[in-house]
Amino acid sequence: MAAEIIDGFSIAQQVRQKAAEDAAELANKGIVPCLAVVLVGENPASISYVTAKEKALEEAGMKGRDIRLPEETSEFDLLALIQDLNEDAGVHGILVQLPLPSHIDEDKVIMAIRPEKDVDGFHPVNVGNMMIGRRSYLPCTPHGVLVLLKTMGIPTAGKHAVIVGRSNIVGKPLSVLLTRREYNATVTLCHTGTRDLSSFTRQADILIAAAGSPGIIKAHMVKEGAVVIDVGVNRIPDSSKKSGFRLCGDVDFEAVKEVASYITPVPRGVGPMTIAMLMMNTVEAAKRILEEEKN
């Protein structure tokens, strides 16, 4: 029996609706959540992501400050802009779209954003707070994965979660979050240095593919009845498409869906959740401003 397909698009719409309701409540109190989105250069994928984020902000009744800079923008000028946004009381969240041009140090840029405006959850202060379970902005994609599991009623307590991929954006934070007491999973984190990857993936009750490698997870690597979450978004050349490419995940979807109990597709799986959780983080940033004003 084929797996149940997890409709990330529909679940993301529910999250975005909740963000819109919270934003409207804040607006009634005189605060309209505002996210500044900074894009440097003309990376087509980045332009697409930024456009989608701006549309989501508009639909949720929030403000978007769209700042697009040329490829040759210096690191100095970008850091100066971030400092201005840090000091702008009308901006609640700051997002600098990655990747940045090679002459700009991404770590310096992430460190420059004030932690309370870091709605991506990348700043070391937010990462540290996440590690020890204190209040923080959770990275959007890992948080989106957790919301998908919860919404679908998929239990995590006592389950073996195997994550393939150790990025700072997805793999590492997911490994931390799934071991929190509210999720109580046992986690194995695999990566390019893992020997005999399939010996680990076949143990997984919940298998999360976040390697950025098209179709790396094959059907023989998946335990019967496992939950498979595909975080990968890979652009594959395809002359039959108007865009010249098609999207695919890290999972061999057609084969694996015959083995798994649940599976996320690409697109319309994890991807829409990332933007939905960004909307929630932006609302949370505005709420914190309101809390500070009360105190």
Side-chain angles (χ1 to χ4, degrees):
M1 187 170 155
E4 181 174 345
I5 296 174
I6 300 173
D7 186 353
F9 181 81
S10 293
I11 295 172
Q13 290 300 110
Q14 296 170 25
V15 174
R16 286 166 64 163
Q17 179 59 37
K18 175 66 167 62
E21 291 168 2
D22 288 356
E25 194 173 316
L26 281 168
N28 289 335
K29 297 174 182 176
I31 294 179
V32 178
C34 176
L35 175 65
V37 180
V38 182
L39 174 63
V40 184
E42 299 287 336
N43 181 302
S46 293
I47 291 171
S48 175
Y49 293 146
V50 166
T51 301
K53 289 166 184 173
E54 290 164 352
K55 182 181 177 185
L57 286 165
E58 184 180 348
E59 289 177 356
M62 299 188 228
K63 290 180 184 175
R65 193 170 296 184
D66 178 17
I67 304 169
R68 304 203 179 194
L69 303 173
E71 182 90 15
E72 61 272 16
T73 299
S74 70
E75 180 178 281
F76 179 87
D77 287 344
L78 178 57
L79 293 174
L81 169 66
I82 291 170
Q83 187 56 36
D84 288 343
L85 294 172
N86 280 335
E87 295 171 2
D88 188 336
V91 172
H92 304 107
I94 302 169
L95 183 152
V96 178
Q97 184 66 45
L98 304 178
L100 289 165
S102 58
H103 65 278
I104 298 176
D105 186 330
E106 289 186 358
D107 285 342
K108 281 187 183 178
V109 171
I110 290 169
M111 290 286 288
I113 299 171
R114 276 173 52 186
E116 56 269 35
K117 293 193 177 188
D118 166 43
V119 288
D120 262 333
F122 293 166
H123 193 286
V125 168
N126 283 320
V127 174
N129 283 331
M130 177 194 70
M131 283 287 296
I132 60 176
R134 294 186 63 190
R135 183 183 184 186
S136 66
Y137 299 116
L138 300 183
C140 299
T141 301
H143 195 187
V145 169
L146 297 177
V147 171
L148 284 179
L149 293 172
K150 184 176 180 181
T151 304
M152 295 300 296
I154 296 169
T156 55
K159 301 297 183 181
H160 186 188
V162 176
I163 302 168
V164 182
R166 58 180 165 185
S167 73
N168 292 334
I169 294 172
V170 181
K172 286 179 185 175
L174 252 181
S175 70
V176 170
L177 292 168
L178 280 166
T179 56
R180 282 187 174 183
R181 291 189 184 276
E182 61 261 42
Y183 301 106
N184 249 0
T186 298
V187 176
T188 298
L189 183 61
C190 299
H191 45 76
T192 51
T194 300
R195 293 182 181 179
D196 192 9
L197 178 63
S198 62
S199 69
F200 292 97
T201 60
R202 283 196 300 267
Q203 297 177 43
D205 301 307
I206 301 170
L207 177 58
I208 300 168
S213 182
I216 191 175
I217 303 299
K218 310 295 185 185
H220 73 272
M221 301 169 69
V222 180
K223 181 172 74 172
E224 186 81 33
V227 175
V228 179
I229 306 293
D230 191 352
V231 182
V233 181
N234 307 289
R235 290 177 171 232
I236 305 297
D238 187 339
S239 58
S240 69
K241 302 289 186 182
K242 184 179 178 181
S243 62
F245 66 87
R246 61 183 172 85
L247 296 179
C248 75
D250 289 354
V251 174
D252 182 355
F253 181 82
E254 292 301 327
V256 171
K257 75 177 183 181
E258 301 302 322
V259 181
S261 58
Y262 292 88
I263 190 169
T264 58
V266 176
R268 296 177 71 92
V270 175
M273 294 300 296
T274 300
I275 291 179
M277 302 323 297
L278 175 64
M279 297 302 104
M280 291 302 294
N281 278 357
T282 302
V283 169
E284 174 67 17
K287 285 180 180 177
R288 291 188 188 188
I289 297 295
L290 191 62
E291 287 175 12
E292 289 174 7
E293 288 178 354
K294 287 181 178 178
N295 294 332

